[in-house]
Amino acid sequence: MIDTSPVACKEFFSYLEKLFSISVSDIRAMIKDFHVEMGRGLSGDESSLKMIPSFIDKPKGNERGDFFALDLGGTNFRVLAVKLDGKGNARVPFASKFAIPQEDMQGTGVALFDFIVGCIDAFLTENQVDRSKTYDLAFTFSFPVEQTSIAVGKLIVWTKGFTATGVQGRDVVGLLIEALKRKNISCINITALANDTVGTLAARSYVDPACDMGVIMGTGTNACYRESISNIEKLDVPIADGHMIVNMEWGNFDKVRRTCYDRPLDKASVNPGAMFLEKMVSGMYLGEITRLVLVDLIRRDLIFGNQAHGAGCFAKRGSLRTKGMSRIEGDKTDRLDGVALFFKTNGISNITLHDKILLQRLCRIVSARAARLGAAAISAVLTWIDPKLKDVHTVGIDGSLFEKYPGFKTKMDDMFKELFGEKAERITLVHSKDGSGKGSAIIAAVAASSKP
Ligand code: ADP
Ligand code: MG
């Protein structure tokens, strides 16, 4: 590669690299802080980690039967039928996907739950489900919920653009049952309320007994793991032995070193002062961090020198997305034709090879920090469960960022090697697809089998 960069540019990129770098000693410090916050969250003390008990353990792998699952937590709502064969196979014989109308997302809770039940009704009819039988159903609801038993939980706060009134502070299963009654649907028995992280752990551990952790790296980021019930001090129930999955809500972890780019992003967000880790790690934010640095580069006249008119294209918040970074970083052509095409479709043509190299480098700086912070958080949880890493651990991960961002998994694996040396081999990250669908049906099966 020919280095044509002027000194100022070179210096600025060295500065950026340093600013966004996460060293092994940074990670060790973060792990310590994570453990403190985990302990506080489990004891019920003030903590940036909510550590929410799920009231369910991981599956044994022999659960079988037919289940339904609902998946609410993004732009689409899904209803699925899932068949478990008791040998590690979860099949989806039929599923339907519905776009949630804006007026139901942001109207009244009654309208939202009536919409959900309308979808269930359509699903039952379309697939000729016999309504004289009853079916166990798991409700995957991927918002922060204060769960008090396997099928009871109150919404703490809406996220991801939902604002339906009369739902915050209420039991969402109760609201669903009321809506089912309004529509005279009596063949559905809601046996579990789940979160997508818990579903992801369940989906992977159904086939892999070494899986004790589930992670989401998509629009947001979160994780759950298998904890000894005796360690969940705040749990006020007389069940002392055994294990339970704990939903950490780790996106809110706040002992992180933020930069001059993270702060304005947080300020302009709908939830300033919260979700610091999520804002440095997940798909909803990486594009925006990159855009803020790019705007700074343009302002300093370090990029697009020949394209001053085009620079305004990225002036708007949200105009550079993580998916775009994925395309920029994934371009392996000699002259970075893919990067050029990406910018051309965004109004900036004829960019120089030098600028293309800089853009790729910028995306790498931002995504590497995300991958390393994600891996650091996983390391914290695994060393909490198993301080000396004596056992093998599989981590089931779902989400488009982990699945699709070029080199994301490799960067995480590299960090484990830096931190743990040879023992890093004991950590396996696996893409566990559709935790919020198949995984929650598995949770419904675990709930059904653990009924007294
Ligand atoms: P959700 O988290 O909403 O359930 P996904 O797991 O599909 O859904 O994650 C969607 C997010 O993943 C998007 O908001 C985007 O930030 C990111 N994303 C989507 N496609 C890609 C891609 N090709 N590369 C990297 N990130 C992507
Ligand atoms: Mg999802």
Side-chain angles (χ1 to χ4, degrees):
M1 192 171 77
I2 310 163
D3 183 6
T4 54
S5 58
V7 177
C9 190
K10 236 176 143 170
E11 274 181 5
F12 194 70
F13 265 82
S14 308
Y15 158 77
L16 284 178
E17 249 143 27
K18 215 162 154 205
L19 189 67
F20 281 84
S21 76
I22 306 285
S23 69
V24 169
S25 66
D26 291 336
I27 288 168
R28 294 218 167 95
M30 180 171 152
I31 290 175
K32 267 196 192 147
D33 289 334
F34 230 93
H35 287 174
V36 171
E37 294 288 285
M38 287 174 76
R40 295 178 62 83
L42 288 171
S43 319
D45 295 336
E46 183 76 29
S47 169
S48 65
L49 299 174
K50 285 210 172 72
M51 308 298 284
I52 302 169
S54 69
F55 298 88
I56 199 103
D57 192 8
K58 68 179 194 175
K60 294 186 176 73
N62 59 0
E63 293 80 1
R64 49 184 298 165
D66 296 314
F67 298 90
F68 288 154
L70 305 182
D71 178 14
L72 184 75
T75 37
N76 291 306
F77 169 67
R78 294 188 306 154
V79 189
L80 306 92
V82 184
K83 208 174 201 30
L84 305 177
D85 73 354
K87 294 179 197 134
N89 298 304
R91 246 180 6 94
V92 179
F94 40 93
S96 307
K97 196 158 131 180
F98 306 85
I100 307 167
Q102 180 99 354
E103 66 264 27
D104 292 331
M105 253 164 103
Q106 305 187 336
T108 65
V110 169
L112 177 64
F113 280 87
D114 281 346
F115 164 77
I116 291 173
V117 170
C119 296
I120 298 174
D121 195 33
F123 168 89
L124 295 173
T125 304
E126 197 178 308
N127 297 296
Q128 298 171 347
V129 175
D130 179 357
R131 296 189 191 217
S132 66
K133 296 185 183 161
T134 55
Y135 305 90
D136 285 341
L137 174 144
F139 183 18
T140 305
F141 185 79
S142 303
F143 300 94
V145 160
E146 191 66 61
Q147 207 153 341
T148 45
S149 77
I150 175 64
V152 180
K154 285 181 190 161
L155 172 65
I156 300 168
V157 61
W158 278 124
T159 54
K160 301 182 245 190
F162 282 70
T163 56
T165 54
V167 187
Q168 284 181 178
R170 304 274 309 273
D171 168 29
V172 292
V173 173
L175 292 173
L176 181 58
I177 292 172
E178 284 170 22
L180 285 165
K181 278 194 191 139
R182 281 198 292 277
K183 224 177 167 56
N184 289 321
I185 297 178
S186 55
C187 61
I188 300 284
N189 181 24
I190 305 159
T191 52
L193 175 65
N195 163 277
D196 51 359
T197 57
V198 181
T200 300
L201 192 162
R204 183 63 206 175
S205 56
Y206 189 59
V207 286
D208 178 355
C211 177
D212 42 19
M213 188 175 177
V215 175
I216 298 291
M217 287 182 160
T219 305
T221 186
N222 188 14
C224 69
Y225 71 104
R226 190 171 189 242
E227 180 60 279
S228 302
I229 291 176
S230 57
N231 283 346
I232 314 175
E233 280 179 32
K234 65 180 170 186
L235 202 61
D236 201 12
V237 287
I239 30 171
D241 345 313
H243 292 84
M244 189 186 283
I245 301 171
V246 172
N247 164 21
M248 304 176 71
E249 292 292 336
W250 83 8
N252 194 48
F253 180 70
D254 61 3
K255 308 285 181 287
V256 281
R257 178 168 47 84
R258 297 187 305 146
T259 69
C260 53
Y261 302 105
D262 299 302
R263 283 188 281 268
L265 176 142
D266 174 53
K267 253 190 161 164
S269 69
V270 295
N271 50 354
M275 307 299 276
F276 286 176
L277 184 67
E278 177 158 285
K279 286 171 183 168
M280 297 163 95
V281 170
S282 78
M284 189 163 172
Y285 304 100
L286 297 189
E288 181 63 8
I289 299 171
T290 306
R291 187 192 71 83
L292 289 167
V293 184
L294 179 59
V295 167
D296 199 16
L297 284 168
I298 294 168
R299 191 179 60 82
R300 291 168 188 267
D301 231 352
L302 296 174
I303 200 164
F304 298 151
N306 63 338
Q307 286 292 312
H309 66 279
C313 292
F314 291 99
K316 220 174 124 223
R317 220 178 108 208
S319 57
L320 181 58
R321 292 172 182 266
T322 306
K323 208 172 171 173
M325 291 172 68
S326 221
R327 280 180 57 193
I328 296 170
E329 213 178 314
D331 185 358
K332 299 282 183 268
T333 60
D334 279 353
R335 300 197 57 80
L336 301 179
D337 300 326
V339 178
L341 185 65
F342 175 79
F343 281 91
K344 198 170 168 193
T345 52
N346 283 285
I348 304 175
S349 46
N350 303 322
I351 58 175
T352 63
L353 180 59
H354 175 247
D355 282 356
K356 288 187 268 185
I357 292 168
L358 290 185
L359 289 161
Q360 207 170 46
R361 194 164 155 198
L362 169 58
C363 293
R364 205 176 301 131
I365 289 171
V366 174
S367 69
R369 184 181 68 162
R372 289 173 74 82
L373 284 174
I378 290 173
S379 305
V381 177
L382 294 181
T383 53
W384 173 271
I385 304 173
D386 177 8
K388 299 244 173 305
L389 281 187
K390 283 201 232 117
D391 301 318
V392 292
H393 300 273
T394 303
V395 183
I397 309 186
D398 198 9
S400 296
L401 179 70
F402 178 77
E403 184 188 359
K404 295 178 182 160
Y405 201 102
F408 209 83
K409 178 179 181 295
T410 310
K411 284 176 187 144
M412 295 174 75
D413 285 333
D414 288 347
M415 204 227 75
F416 294 137
K417 280 181 213 147
E418 279 176 51
L419 192 62
F420 299 119
E422 276 182 9
K423 282 188 182 169
E425 282 173 20
R426 297 181 190 166
I427 304 171
T428 310
L429 307 184
V430 180
H431 178 215
S432 171
K433 210 167 170 50
D434 201 11
S436 49
K438 288 181 185 178
S440 70
I442 295 166
I443 292 165
V446 176
S449 68
S450 57
K451 252 188 239 159

